[in-house]
Amino acid sequence: MELKPITPVTQEEFAKYENRRPVFTSEGHFLSQFLWTHYYHTRYGTDDLALYLFFHRNGIDGALPPLCREEDIQEVFKRQESRFHDTL
């Protein structure tokens, strides 16, 4: 999975994932990610199940909840954990 910067153009890609399940926090929406992308140095990646958000701030790497369907959450978190530990 290639991690890419969040830009105005990526809003279309976010839209494919934002409505896959209810997200009640602002972190799960494009506008919030776009506004904070430079502060948190956020990058995103996608695969067949989800949109993943990774950040780096003050020397700390982290990940936000992925955007995916509810029934895919268990598999998606396994993939996110693998990506986080294997490459970040």
Side-chain angles (χ1 to χ4, degrees), residues 59-75:
I60 299 171
D61 291 319
L64 295 166
L67 303 176
C68 64
R69 296 181 313 166
E70 203 167 325
E71 59 267 23
D72 296 328
I73 287 176
Q74 190 172 13
E75 175 61 27

Side-chain angles (χ1 to χ4, degrees), residues 33-80:
Q33 290 305 319
F34 178 71
L35 292 174
W36 289 96
T37 191
H38 295 295
Y39 183 80
Y40 287 107
H41 307 284
T42 309
R43 298 289 181 259
Y44 80 98
T46 61
D47 65 16
D48 59 320
L49 294 180
L51 183 141
Y52 304 86
L53 295 161
F54 297 95
F55 65 88
H56 180 83
R57 176 83 182 135
N58 294 333
I60 299 171
D61 291 319
L64 295 166
L67 303 176
C68 64
R69 296 181 313 166
E70 203 167 325
E71 59 267 23
D72 296 328
I73 287 176
Q74 190 172 13
E75 175 61 27
V76 167
F77 270 103
K78 286 180 187 176
R79 292 179 184 189
Q80 183 179 39

Side-chain angles (χ1 to χ4, degrees), residues 3-22:
L3 295 183
K4 302 175 262 186
I6 298 170
T7 67
V9 176
T10 60
Q11 183 174 6
E12 292 176 13
E13 195 160 9
F14 268 70
K16 296 175 190 175
Y17 296 91
E18 285 181 328
N19 295 320
R20 292 193 174 189
R21 69 178 161 83

